[in-house]
Amino acid sequence: MTFELFNRTFFIATDVLFAYIVLIGTGLGVLYLVNRANKWSVIKDYVTTTHHRKIGVLYLLSATLFFLRAGIEALIIRMQLSVPENDFWVFQGDKFNEAFTTHGTIMIFFVAMPLLIGLMNVAVPLQIGAQDMAFPYMNAISFWLFLAGAILVNMSFFMTASPNAGWTAYAPLSTAEFTPEAGNDYYIFGLQVSGVGTILAAINMIVTIVRHRAPGMKMTRMPLFAWSTLVTAFLILIAFPVLTIALYILMFDRLFGTSFFSGESGSPIYWQHLFWIFGHPEVYIIIIPAFGIFSDVISTFSKKRVFGYTSMVVAIVIIGLLGFMVWVHHMFTVGLGPVVNTVFAITTMLIAVPTGIKIFNWLFTMRKGVIRLGTPMLFAAGFIPTFVIGGVTGVMLAVAAADFQFHDTYFVVAHFHYTMVGGTVLGAFAGIYYWFPKMFGFKLKDGLGKAHFWLFLIGFHITFFPQHFAGLNGMPRRVYTYTAEDNIFIFNFISTIGAFMMGIGTLFFVLNIYKSFKDPDKCGNDPWDGRTLEWSVPSPAPEHPFDPMPQVNTVDPLWEAKRNRGGKLPVANTSRSAPIDVTSWQPVSFYGVIMLFSLSFIYHVTWLQIVSGVMVLAFFALRTLTDEHTRLAKEGENHDNV
């Protein structure tokens, strides 16, 4: 679309124009509703908070919004591929490249990650008897850095500069020689900024779990979600710096003319190694927490202690270790040689062993249990066969010779979604339904939850199962059209129908949240008849929930207390010092500064780079001189004087 203004001709794509209209309309509508309901104080409370539960809610809210945005792109992709030689709207050529790039990037980094980190924030401190995260202020900084990176990647679309080199950003396509526009700079800086936030969150999780467990809660008595969080945090601490290094090197190639990934002295293969040394552990970073969620949900809704607790912990650790030994299976076709391919094929197959142990342990936990099919349990039950299918196709892809046929086809797309959606997204939904009472004091509607589950799960299988056959019939990934003679129309058409079923199911989830807030089903501390410490504190969980501090003597302390002590937990003689929760405008202010700093580099504005860089350093100095202990002591003295 072109238009004249001030004697100049401007061009804006109709999809961007439509997105602006929707964004402005939605924003004005939200402002009106917030103002009418007089919720500004609630927004201020969440924006300035450092409390783990509220930070968790912010992660989950952001992830849900980005899930809807990336889901719309998925529907657009499916519409374009629904029939042969289709020309849906403007989504052909480079526009299609932008759509699948931002879809994948947002779903991996700004949906899956924050969904799980949000649930970690909500549940893990309560599960281990901690009053809050070890570093509440750093927790807030972590969230606002994540959001800054997410907004950078999302705003690229509105600046008509979406990244277009795929979510893996393979060089040399992602270098300035082939994609000189600002889109891939948005990708680089968005992932760098959010990655720093994720690393800080991982450090926080490790210190919280290691140092702030309730008295008596040995490592061997922690819930499996806490164990999966600990392993995941260590994976993040090792894997994300590798991504940061790769992005910095790519930034130097794009901005300063170096040639790490191109030219005579560089190689695109270096990018693949660096990306997948991060990328495959990333797969386990976003699936191991889901394993922990399913373990807790299945145990609670089967009214049985999880079968093989020790083997479950060992399996999580082995999966984490093996996750760093399999990255080359993404590179079987680049020519590394038969010996290298064979070694990594074997390690890839080995990772199926601890995963299989977990599958059988979940089944044995349900065996002879008193199973209740609440919404969280439905998502857990739906996960098991779905993930098994993804695991079987993963073993197929581990066969290096066969991978030459499967590589870069829709078979890989189907496998990837069976593991990521079938594992991570179903796990996140199970966790949201399960811990929603701890966030807000009421449950989500069970009827709408079950409608959401069935539509989403059936739609998922209708969408992605046929894609295995499209790939086996030779359909490459990342193509925006095909011919009738390719004999893949029926698979694509069925996939499109399933995608819209998933979309309708997601709308039921949004409707459920709206209905539940409008007409809340208030519940007590323990709506699911739970087994772990989080169900012993009020709903929603208050600040400093454990007063008095419980003494933990078993894996399922609340369940044992119900059986032997009338539901009362034994009280500890000692307790750990509680972290200091404060309200502060500094984290959200830093969000604005880091956004400005990133944009100055994306658009090469030297004076703004200097100014915003000085502002970042000034923020560090301000934080160094801020002492919450002194401030809170003075506030306490003033209160006593009054």
Side-chain angles (χ1 to χ4, degrees), residues 155-452:
M155 75 182 291
S156 64
F157 174 77
F158 294 94
M159 305 299 287
T160 63
S162 290
N164 58 0
W167 80 273
T168 55
Y170 272 10
L173 182 60
S174 56
T175 61
E177 180 182 357
F178 294 98
T179 51
E181 305 84 6
N184 290 317
D185 294 323
Y186 275 104
Y187 173 94
I188 290 168
F189 282 94
L191 295 196
Q192 281 177 330
V193 170
S194 67
V196 172
T198 302
I199 291 170
L200 294 178
I203 294 170
N204 214 346
M205 291 290 174
I206 292 170
V207 177
T208 301
I209 292 171
V210 171
R211 295 290 301 158
H212 287 270
R213 300 190 308 278
M217 181 169 279
K218 303 175 183 178
M219 299 286 282
T220 52
R221 293 173 181 168
M222 289 199 309
L224 287 172
F225 183 56
W227 258 112
S228 66
T229 298
L230 182 63
V231 172
T232 299
F234 277 109
L235 294 184
I236 290 171
L237 211 55
I238 299 168
F240 264 79
V242 179
L243 176 66
T244 303
I245 292 166
L247 291 168
Y248 267 110
I249 296 173
L250 182 59
M251 178 185 73
F252 270 77
D253 272 13
R254 289 183 62 84
L255 300 186
F256 306 119
T258 57
S259 55
F260 289 97
F261 300 129
S262 60
E264 294 182 3
S265 58
S267 171
I269 302 301
Y270 297 160
W271 170 266
Q272 290 195 38
H273 277 296
L274 286 171
F275 185 87
W276 288 117
I277 288 172
F278 150 79
H280 207 82
E282 166 69 1
V283 170
Y284 296 105
I285 285 168
I286 58 180
I287 194 61
I288 287 176
F291 288 168
I293 293 168
F294 291 128
S295 296
D296 286 359
V297 168
I298 290 172
S299 176
T300 297
F301 282 84
S302 300
K303 291 196 172 185
K304 280 181 63 182
R305 178 172 293 184
V306 69
F307 183 88
Y309 173 89
T310 303
S311 64
M312 293 289 264
V313 173
V314 172
I316 292 171
V317 174
I318 292 174
I319 289 170
L321 291 173
L322 288 177
F324 287 100
M325 305 178 191
V326 298
W327 81 87
V328 170
H329 73 221
H330 296 275
M331 303 168 60
F332 281 155
T333 61
V334 304
L336 297 178
V339 175
V340 173
N341 284 2
T342 300
V343 169
F344 281 90
I346 292 169
T347 57
T348 302
M349 292 179 186
L350 281 176
I351 211 164
V353 176
T355 308
I357 289 171
K358 297 187 75 63
I359 294 290
F360 281 107
N361 281 4
W362 287 319
L363 293 175
F364 282 127
T365 301
M366 289 187 280
R367 180 175 178 265
K368 295 185 178 180
V370 183
I371 297 175
R372 297 164 293 156
L373 291 177
T375 304
M377 184 61 177
L378 285 176
F379 278 101
F383 149 79
I384 292 176
T386 303
F387 194 78
V388 167
I389 293 172
V392 169
T393 55
V395 173
M396 293 171 68
L397 288 164
V399 180
D403 189 68
F404 277 78
Q405 171 68 27
F406 302 141
H407 188 74
D408 267 349
T409 70
Y410 259 77
F411 188 90
V412 177
V413 174
H415 158 73
F416 185 74
H417 284 82
Y418 260 87
T419 54
M420 292 299 95
V421 180
T424 303
V425 176
L426 292 185
F429 282 139
I432 290 170
Y433 280 96
Y434 186 56
W435 283 304
F436 202 85
K438 285 298 153 204
M439 299 181 229
F440 300 107
F442 53 88
K443 295 195 294 185
L444 290 169
K445 307 288 185 185
D446 196 54
L448 288 172
K450 289 177 178 176
H452 166 212

Side-chain angles (χ1 to χ4, degrees), residues 76 79-81 85-99 479-481:
I76 288 171
M79 283 296 295
Q80 171 60 26
L81 293 172
E85 300 181 75
N86 194 18
D87 288 321
F88 174 69
W89 204 352
V90 295
F91 292 96
Q92 300 82 42
D94 205 44
K95 273 289 182 184
F96 190 83
N97 294 343
E98 293 174 1
V479 294
Y480 71 88
T481 192

Side-chain angles (χ1 to χ4, degrees), residues 575-610:
S575 63
R576 299 188 186 277
S577 58
I580 298 176
D581 297 320
V582 297
T583 57
S584 174
W585 287 99
Q586 287 183 15
V588 68
S589 302
F590 187 60
Y591 157 85
V593 171
I594 206 71
M595 286 280 292
L596 198 64
F597 187 60
S598 301
L599 288 170
S600 68
F601 277 90
I602 291 171
Y603 288 105
H604 316 289
V605 184
T606 305
W607 68 267
L608 189 57
Q609 293 170 2
I610 296 170

